[in-house]
C-alpha cells in the first residue's frame, strides 16, 4: 500500500516509528511490517512511501525478495565481493569430486 505521512516541523519520520504505528493500526506485530521508499516532498512536512504488511513472519520470509530481507537484516549479507565469488566458482569448476570443498578464495601463496 502507499503510505503518506504528514510531519510538520520534522525533517522526516523514522521508519521504526512508522512500523510501530502501522502495526498498531492494523493489529499485527511490527516485525511483519515493511516500510520502504520514503520520499520527502519539496518544502518538507509530507512524505510518501510504500508499506507491505504480512499475516505472519513466515509469509514475509517466503514472499519478500532477498535484497529487501538483507536491508532489514532479517537474513545475513553475502560475504566477499562479486569478483571473489565468481573466481571461486571458476576454480571449483576445474576440479572434480570432494576437492571442490577444499578450494578457497584468495590469492595463491
Amino acid at each position: 500500500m502507499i503510505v503518506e505521512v504528514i510531519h510538520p516541523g520534522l525533517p522526516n519520520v523514522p521508519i521504526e516509528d512508522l512500523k510501530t504505528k502501522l502495526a498498531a493500526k492494523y493489529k499485527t506485530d511490527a516485525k511483519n511490517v515493511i516500510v520502504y521508499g520514503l520520499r520527502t516532498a519539496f518544502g518538507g512536512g509530507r512524505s510518501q512511501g510504500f508499506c507491505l504488511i504480512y499475516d505472519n513472519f513466515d509469509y514475509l520470509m517466503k514472499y519478500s525478495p532477498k535484497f529487501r530481507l538483507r536491508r532489514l537484516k532479517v537474513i545475513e549479507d553475502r560475504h566477499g565481493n562479486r569478483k571473489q565469488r565468481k573466481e571461486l566458482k571458476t576454480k571449483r569448476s576445474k576440479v572434480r569430486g570432494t576437492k571442490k570443498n577444499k578450494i578457497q578464495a584468495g590469492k595463491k601463496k
Side-chain angles (χ1 to χ4, degrees):
M1 77 172 90
I2 295 176
V3 178
E4 186 169 339
V5 185
I6 299 172
H7 48 87
L10 294 174
N12 51 21
V13 181
I15 289 179
E16 292 300 320
D17 293 349
L18 286 177
K19 275 183 164 183
T20 53
K21 288 184 181 184
L22 286 168
K25 182 176 181 178
Y26 291 101
K27 298 176 183 149
T28 184
D29 194 15
K31 68 179 184 178
N32 298 335
V33 178
I34 296 177
V35 178
Y36 65 97
L38 287 175
R39 297 282 179 248
T40 306
F42 181 73
R46 182 181 299 243
S47 296
Q48 288 182 336
F50 301 99
C51 171
L52 299 172
I53 300 175
Y54 293 93
D55 291 336
N56 57 33
F57 192 71
D58 294 331
Y59 286 146
L60 183 138
M61 292 296 289
K62 184 176 179 182
Y63 293 113
S64 285
K66 300 284 185 201
F67 77 92
R68 201 172 288 148
L69 294 176
R70 283 190 191 99
R71 283 182 191 167
L72 296 171
K73 307 289 188 223
V74 175
I75 60 176
E76 65 183 35
D77 285 338
R78 296 181 181 134
H79 297 293
N81 59 16
R82 181 177 173 157
K83 185 169 182 173
Q84 285 176 336
R85 286 195 306 261
K86 288 190 175 288
E87 286 175 353
L88 184 61
K89 185 184 84 168
T90 13
K91 282 184 188 178
R92 285 183 175 158
S93 70
K94 293 177 183 175
V95 292
R96 295 182 61 184
T98 57
K99 292 180 184 175
K100 289 181 190 271
N101 296 333
K102 295 177 185 174
I103 293 180
Q104 294 187 3
K107 295 183 178 179
K108 292 182 182 177
K109 291 184 180 179

